[in-house]
Amino acid sequence: MYKSWRLLNLHPRNQVSSSRYSSGTAAIVQGQLRGLLSPKVNTLPLVRSIGRTMTQGKTYGPQITVKRISTRGRSSKPIFVQIAKQVVSLNPLELRLPSRAWKVKLVGEGADDAGGVFDDTITEMCQELQSGVVDLLIHTPNSSTDVGSNTDRFLLNPAAVSEDHMVQFRFLGILMAVAIRTKKPLDLHLAPWVWKQLCCIPLGGPDLEEVDLLTYRSLHGILHLDNSGITEDNFHVMIPLDSFMAHSADGKLVPVVPGGHNISLTFSNKSDYVERALDYRLHEMDRQVAAVREGMSSIIPVPLLSLLTARQLEQLVCGLPEVSVEMLKKVVRYRDITDSHQLIGWLWQSLEEFANEERVLFLRFVSGRSRLPSNPADITQKFQIIKVDRPVNGLPTAQTCFFQLRLPPYTSQAILAERLRYSIHNCPSIDMDNYMLSRNTDPADGSDTEY
């Protein structure tokens, strides 16, 4: 299979032939066989294609400007909006890099981007997407009603349809593809529904049930009225709908067909209504998905997503939700200290005792990121732990650009854990000693010195 995948027609719209020679390919593209393929067939074509289309000879892409600090009483636009507007107009060839797709210049802040600022702003953009600061994502209906599965997950917002929204969805696709290319995962909690759509796996009723249990049960109940006591005579009394209207993913009452508010729902056309309502719900985000895939297509070969399962794509984009201490141990490098030193033992013990939420804060403290790749081999930068000659029981410091933690001496594991907790909870800002402040506020400065 791996040797012949180039011969497969992976475009989802071309799977119409009933020929027995194309039925296997159609079953892969439609999703039935993807889970049976080995990882070599699922992911290796994508990985190798990305390697062959990498832009070489550059350590970072074009510079973009981000303003996070409010001035003159006016708040800044969301970081996601600022970066999206600049990045979508760039030549995609300049963004196909192995590490930093662009370099971030923070206006009025004491930091210069050697990788840490790039990582940190991506983490902030993920937070904006999932906190409602940017309106591209919505909570699943199950989250609103607190029933069923995926109550902590997000869907694409079907109401985000403006031209600006489409630009932002394309940038979201670029962001996902950059995460795959650079092997630096995004902290996004999207429902399996979204990953299936991005892989072009057709959705069905069970997918609606996973994100909107109440609507699924309502439609199922209307379709199957046997032994319910509902007849043509009492249909309008028992069913609280009178036209071809239904609730969309964002809770709004919408027509499921054009002019649906003028089409009466009756006992005789209930099957047609359920079919139309289900079709509407399964395709209401098609426009947004298409925009995301368009953005992805400028950075990675999206036809090869038709070989991936939804879970595999999610892992490529988002890595692991749990920050593994064991994985950090596999990629660590010690400086001026050995792994047998008591200080190192205390550090690992503290991290193992931390809740995952605190380990996420620790990862951001030392790297600017909130997720680790699923494969330790994809962590290209070693996690450095350095023993520094500073006052005993002081605060640890970090350099996110170099994935580096600097530890002063401590008199006990409890004090180390307490100081580390204080730092990760209270010191999220990068390089705010203002060393680079004068450079970042001087528009005439063209220095590329990095810290």
Side-chain angles (χ1 to χ4, degrees):
M1 275 292 296
Y2 175 71
K3 292 181 179 179
S4 60
W5 67 264
R6 295 173 184 82
L7 302 177
L8 305 181
N9 178 4
L10 298 176
H11 198 291
R13 293 183 181 176
N14 291 342
Q15 307 304 317
V16 294
S17 173
S18 59
S19 165
R20 62 191 177 96
Y21 298 109
S22 62
S23 59
T25 302
I28 291 173
V29 174
Q30 296 300 317
Q32 296 99 320
L33 291 183
R34 296 191 204 186
L36 300 179
L37 301 177
S38 73
K40 183 176 181 179
V41 179
N42 282 125
T43 59
L44 198 54
L46 179 64
V47 170
R48 291 195 170 176
S49 296
I50 287 174
R52 289 171 181 151
T53 56
M54 200 75 78
T55 298
Q56 302 294 342
K58 292 184 177 181
T59 56
Y60 56 83
Q63 179 172 281
I64 62 168
T65 302
V66 174
K67 183 179 180 182
R68 300 193 296 187
I69 300 175
S70 302
T71 55
R72 298 177 183 176
R74 293 180 296 180
S75 60
S76 300
K77 290 182 179 179
I79 295 171
F80 185 93
V81 173
Q82 293 183 55
I83 296 181
K85 187 175 181 181
Q86 297 173 71
V87 169
V88 293
S89 62
L90 297 173
N91 183 348
L93 286 174
E94 297 183 281
L95 305 177
R96 296 172 191 164
L97 301 176
S99 55
R100 274 182 293 161
W102 52 83
K103 179 180 179 180
V104 179
K105 180 176 182 179
L106 297 175
V107 177
E109 292 191 51
D112 195 18
D113 185 12
V117 178
F118 174 78
D119 291 344
D120 192 60
T121 51
I122 286 182
T123 297
E124 290 195 56
M125 286 191 285
C126 291
Q127 291 175 342
E128 290 177 342
L129 285 166
Q130 295 170 128
S131 64
V133 173
V134 179
D135 61 347
L136 297 190
L137 304 181
I138 57 171
H139 287 280
T140 63
N142 281 352
S143 174
S144 303
T145 56
D146 196 24
V147 297
S149 55
N150 295 304
T151 55
D152 59 343
R153 297 290 183 126
F154 292 84
L155 297 170
L156 304 184
N157 185 359
V161 295
S162 70
E163 186 175 335
D164 286 342
H165 284 134
M166 291 300 110
V167 168
Q168 291 165 21
F169 276 120
R170 287 200 297 275
F171 174 64
L172 177 58
I174 291 173
L175 204 57
M176 290 179 173
V178 164
I180 295 175
R181 191 172 277 276
T182 61
K183 300 175 182 177
K184 291 187 173 182
L186 304 179
D187 186 15
L188 288 177
H189 300 262
L190 301 177
W193 171 298
V194 178
W195 301 114
K196 282 187 175 182
Q197 286 196 296
L198 293 176
C199 287
C200 287
I201 296 176
L203 299 175
D207 297 297
L208 178 62
E209 183 179 15
E210 287 186 355
V211 297
D212 191 350
L213 179 61
L214 296 185
T215 293
Y216 175 80
R217 285 181 176 175
S218 174
L219 294 177
H220 188 270
I222 293 173
L223 187 61
H224 300 91
L225 296 179
D226 303 335
N227 303 319
S228 66
I230 300 177
T231 64
E232 188 170 0
D233 295 330
N234 64 7
F235 180 78
H236 287 296
V237 177
M238 303 299 293
I239 302 298
L241 291 170
D242 56 7
S243 60
F244 273 51
M245 305 283 286
H247 286 97
S248 63
D250 59 356
K252 296 178 181 177
L253 197 61
V254 296
V256 296
V257 292
H261 57 284
N262 293 321
I263 303 176
S264 297
L265 172 61
T266 65
F267 186 84
S268 58
N269 67 10
K270 65 182 186 303
S271 296
D272 185 40
Y273 167 78
V274 171
E275 181 181 345
R276 299 299 183 92
L278 182 60
D279 184 71
Y280 175 86
R281 287 299 305 272
L282 298 182
H283 294 282
E284 64 179 324
M285 301 163 203
D286 283 0
R287 184 178 175 187
Q288 290 76 17
V289 170
V292 174
R293 277 178 58 92
E294 182 184 345
M296 296 179 79
S297 70
S298 64
I299 308 297
I300 63 172
V302 293
L304 295 183
L305 300 186
S306 291
L307 292 173
L308 300 177
T309 65
R311 178 61 178 159
Q312 287 170 329
L313 178 59
E314 181 180 11
Q315 284 199 342
L316 285 174
V317 174
C318 298
L320 299 173
E322 296 280 331
V323 175
S324 166
V325 176
E326 289 305 312
M327 185 176 292
L328 289 176
K329 288 181 178 180
K330 290 178 181 178
V331 298
V332 74
R333 184 174 70 185
Y334 302 104
R335 288 174 53 184
D336 301 324
I337 195 171
T338 65
D339 61 349
S340 60
H341 195 285
Q342 188 177 49
L343 195 63
I344 297 301
W346 286 347
L347 173 65
W348 294 127
Q349 181 183 343
S350 299
L351 291 176
E352 286 167 354
E353 292 173 356
F354 282 5
N356 185 63
E357 292 75 13
E358 290 180 308
R359 289 198 293 270
V360 169
L361 290 176
F362 172 79
L363 183 63
R364 184 172 182 188
F365 179 69
V366 296
S367 72
R369 289 281 177 163
S370 299
R371 293 280 185 106
L372 290 172
S374 56
N375 184 357
D378 290 338
I379 303 177
T380 56
Q381 191 177 33
K382 289 287 187 179
F383 171 39
Q384 300 179 61
I385 301 176
I386 304 174
K387 182 178 180 293
V388 293
D389 186 17
R390 289 183 182 167
V392 176
N393 295 333
L395 291 173
T397 58
Q399 285 188 289
T400 57
C401 293
F402 305 110
F403 199 0
Q404 190 177 98
L405 175 68
R406 296 171 176 264
L407 284 177
Y410 293 98
T411 55
S412 72
Q413 186 264 329
I415 293 177
L416 184 153
E418 184 271 326
R419 296 291 190 267
L420 187 58
R421 274 196 172 98
Y422 181 89
S423 294
I424 64 177
H425 282 280
N426 296 285
C427 307
S429 298
I430 293 179
D431 293 339
M432 290 307 289
D433 56 2
N434 291 335
Y435 183 85
M436 292 298 299
L437 187 56
S438 60
R439 299 179 183 226
N440 281 355
T441 53
D442 183 4
D445 179 70
S447 172
D448 281 332
T449 304
E450 299 180 351
Y451 295 88

PDB file of all heavy atoms in Angstrom, residues 16 53 87 156 190 303 314 392 405 425:
ATOM      1  N   VAL A  16     -17.076   8.387  -7.054  1.00  0.00           N
ATOM      2  CA  VAL A  16     -18.422   8.083  -7.549  1.00  0.00           C
ATOM      3  C   VAL A  16     -18.461   6.807  -8.381  1.00  0.00           C
ATOM      4  O   VAL A  16     -19.519   6.261  -8.626  1.00  0.00           O
ATOM      5  CB  VAL A  16     -18.968   9.265  -8.383  1.00  0.00           C
ATOM      6  CG1 VAL A  16     -19.174  10.478  -7.488  1.00  0.00           C
ATOM      7  CG2 VAL A  16     -18.021   9.616  -9.517  1.00  0.00           C
ATOM      8  N   THR A  53       8.869  19.392   0.787  1.00  0.00           N
ATOM      9  CA  THR A  53       8.394  20.736   0.407  1.00  0.00           C
ATOM     10  C   THR A  53       8.810  21.784   1.428  1.00  0.00           C
ATOM     11  O   THR A  53       8.256  22.873   1.456  1.00  0.00           O
ATOM     12  CB  THR A  53       6.859  20.740   0.274  1.00  0.00           C
ATOM     13  OG1 THR A  53       6.268  20.283   1.511  1.00  0.00           O
ATOM     14  CG2 THR A  53       6.403  19.837  -0.859  1.00  0.00           C
ATOM     15  N   VAL A  87      -0.611  37.411   8.139  1.00  0.00           N
ATOM     16  CA  VAL A  87      -0.074  36.142   7.636  1.00  0.00           C
ATOM     17  C   VAL A  87      -0.783  35.673   6.375  1.00  0.00           C
ATOM     18  O   VAL A  87      -0.144  35.143   5.455  1.00  0.00           O
ATOM     19  CB  VAL A  87      -0.135  35.058   8.736  1.00  0.00           C
ATOM     20  CG1 VAL A  87       0.152  33.674   8.160  1.00  0.00           C
ATOM     21  CG2 VAL A  87       0.855  35.382   9.843  1.00  0.00           C
ATOM     22  N   LEU A 156     -16.672  24.589  15.048  1.00  0.00           N
ATOM     23  CA  LEU A 156     -16.551  25.819  14.284  1.00  0.00           C
ATOM     24  C   LEU A 156     -17.888  26.547  14.330  1.00  0.00           C
ATOM     25  O   LEU A 156     -18.955  25.927  14.317  1.00  0.00           O
ATOM     26  CB  LEU A 156     -16.156  25.519  12.835  1.00  0.00           C
ATOM     27  CG  LEU A 156     -14.867  24.702  12.626  1.00  0.00           C
ATOM     28  CD1 LEU A 156     -14.558  24.588  11.140  1.00  0.00           C
ATOM     29  CD2 LEU A 156     -13.692  25.309  13.373  1.00  0.00           C
ATOM     30  N   LEU A 190     -10.933  20.702  20.112  1.00  0.00           N
ATOM     31  CA  LEU A 190     -11.998  20.603  19.118  1.00  0.00           C
ATOM     32  C   LEU A 190     -12.648  19.225  19.187  1.00  0.00           C
ATOM     33  O   LEU A 190     -11.990  18.223  19.462  1.00  0.00           O
ATOM     34  CB  LEU A 190     -11.433  20.842  17.717  1.00  0.00           C
ATOM     35  CG  LEU A 190     -10.744  22.193  17.496  1.00  0.00           C
ATOM     36  CD1 LEU A 190     -10.157  22.266  16.093  1.00  0.00           C
ATOM     37  CD2 LEU A 190     -11.708  23.347  17.731  1.00  0.00           C
ATOM     38  N   PRO A 303      -4.757  16.757   0.266  1.00  0.00           N
ATOM     39  CA  PRO A 303      -5.326  15.481  -0.197  1.00  0.00           C
ATOM     40  C   PRO A 303      -4.863  14.288   0.634  1.00  0.00           C
ATOM     41  O   PRO A 303      -5.594  13.306   0.774  1.00  0.00           O
ATOM     42  CB  PRO A 303      -4.832  15.384  -1.644  1.00  0.00           C
ATOM     43  CG  PRO A 303      -4.673  16.806  -2.072  1.00  0.00           C
ATOM     44  CD  PRO A 303      -4.172  17.523  -0.855  1.00  0.00           C
ATOM     45  N   GLU A 314      -5.847  14.908  14.739  1.00  0.00           N
ATOM     46  CA  GLU A 314      -5.853  15.657  15.992  1.00  0.00           C
ATOM     47  C   GLU A 314      -4.504  15.553  16.700  1.00  0.00           C
ATOM     48  O   GLU A 314      -3.989  16.550  17.228  1.00  0.00           O
ATOM     49  CB  GLU A 314      -6.971  15.158  16.916  1.00  0.00           C
ATOM     50  CG  GLU A 314      -7.046  15.930  18.227  1.00  0.00           C
ATOM     51  CD  GLU A 314      -8.139  15.443  19.146  1.00  0.00           C
ATOM     52  OE1 GLU A 314      -8.720  14.371  18.884  1.00  0.00           O
ATOM     53  OE2 GLU A 314      -8.419  16.127  20.153  1.00  0.00           O
ATOM     54  N   VAL A 392      20.173  31.099  47.807  1.00  0.00           N
ATOM     55  CA  VAL A 392      19.472  29.863  48.160  1.00  0.00           C
ATOM     56  C   VAL A 392      17.968  30.129  48.309  1.00  0.00           C
ATOM     57  O   VAL A 392      17.557  31.159  48.843  1.00  0.00           O
ATOM     58  CB  VAL A 392      20.038  29.275  49.470  1.00  0.00           C
ATOM     59  CG1 VAL A 392      19.252  28.035  49.898  1.00  0.00           C
ATOM     60  CG2 VAL A 392      21.507  28.941  49.307  1.00  0.00           C
ATOM     61  N   LEU A 405      15.363  25.875  31.778  1.00  0.00           N
ATOM     62  CA  LEU A 405      15.011  26.169  33.165  1.00  0.00           C
ATOM     63  C   LEU A 405      16.293  26.376  33.961  1.00  0.00           C
ATOM     64  O   LEU A 405      17.206  25.552  33.916  1.00  0.00           O
ATOM     65  CB  LEU A 405      14.215  25.012  33.767  1.00  0.00           C
ATOM     66  CG  LEU A 405      13.866  25.127  35.260  1.00  0.00           C
ATOM     67  CD1 LEU A 405      12.862  26.260  35.508  1.00  0.00           C
ATOM     68  CD2 LEU A 405      13.328  23.802  35.803  1.00  0.00           C
ATOM     69  N   HIS A 425       2.730  30.249  38.109  1.00  0.00           N
ATOM     70  CA  HIS A 425       1.419  30.887  38.234  1.00  0.00           C
ATOM     71  C   HIS A 425       1.487  32.402  38.082  1.00  0.00           C
ATOM     72  O   HIS A 425       0.509  33.026  37.646  1.00  0.00           O
ATOM     73  CB  HIS A 425       0.786  30.551  39.592  1.00  0.00           C
ATOM     74  CG  HIS A 425       0.188  29.186  39.670  1.00  0.00           C
ATOM     75  ND1 HIS A 425      -1.061  28.891  39.162  1.00  0.00           N
ATOM     76  CD2 HIS A 425       0.667  28.010  40.181  1.00  0.00           C
ATOM     77  CE1 HIS A 425      -1.336  27.607  39.368  1.00  0.00           C
ATOM     78  NE2 HIS A 425      -0.303  27.056  39.989  1.00  0.00           N
TER      79      HIS A 425
END
